[in-house]
Amino acid sequence: AQRVTQPEKLLSVFKGAPVELKCNYSYSGSPELFWYVQYSRQRLQLLLRHISRESIKGFTADLNKGETSFHLKKPFAQEEDSAMYYCALSGLNSGAGSYQLTFGKGTKLSVIP
Amino acid sequence: DSGVTQTPKHLITATGQRVTLRCSPRSGDLSVYWYQQSLDQGLQFLIQYYNGEERAKGNILERFSAQQFPDLHSELNLSSLELGDSALYFCASSVADGRGFHNEQFFGPGTRLTVL
């Protein structure tokens, strides 16, 4: 079974401070990890995926297989970063033979001006 | 809007009733996924359809069912509703069926269901 844990429901930081949103996962195979973001009154959208190793809106995330973590980081938080962030793992549903997303419960990031 | 659309936005109904939620995928996407988001359970995968056929099931109750029509829109049917079914129901779509690899899913705005 696959599981994604986001230990913080709410994270408040001051503008300009570093941000780290934690994500840990449990999966027996080779994982593919994602971060999704939901801004106020907007739909859920993909922020970044580990496989592309890119930085989006200043955010980066590194997959650490030893610690089974995929923490999301940004060196200097901006007010517009305030949103709900979800970590997700794409794992194989062996019965269906297809990959499915398992989401963490999300962390609400609040950037204080 | 060429993105994923869902109707209705809000739905209020009583226990024991039946409702239908509708989703239209992005143009060109063949897969449709349904998710339930509740306060205590977070975002949970319910079911996936690909090109009209059921592809995979997640934590979907027997009281719930779905289908995908020839024009690729999908409906999620919820019956014998209980208070605990109150949640936000999201639909997502993707180009492929996800076999062998993960393909990006695009989400709709959701339908908020309130069961009184």
Side-chain angles (χ1 to χ4, degrees), chain B residues 72-86:
Chain B
L72 301 176
H73 91 270
S74 177
E75 292 181 355
L76 179 67
N77 301 296
L78 314 176
S79 61
S80 302
L81 285 168
E82 303 174 359
L83 295 177
D85 297 327
S86 295

Side-chain angles (χ1 to χ4, degrees), chain A residues 9 32 34 36 38 42-46 49 84 86 90 92-93 95-105, chain B residues 1 3-4 35 37 40-43 45 48 55-57 90 97-105 107-109:
Chain A
K9 277 190 176 180
E32 191 164 354
F34 305 83
Y36 279 79
Q38 188 173 28
Q42 293 187 29
R43 62 190 67 194
L44 201 63
Q45 56 188 287
L46 180 66
R49 58 177 67 183
M84 197 74 184
Y86 294 92
S90 178
L92 181 64
N93 178 324
S98 63
Y99 285 79
Q100 285 151 35
L101 283 176
T102 298
F103 285 86
K105 293 192 176 182
Chain B
D1 184 3
V4 179
Y35 293 87
Q37 185 180 39
D40 53 343
Q41 294 295 321
L43 198 62
F45 167 68
Q48 176 199 359
R55 175 67 83 219
K57 271 187 173 180
F90 285 105
D97 66 354
R99 288 195 166 182
F101 64 96
H102 175 84
N103 53 128
E104 183 176 349
Q105 294 180 24
F107 282 78

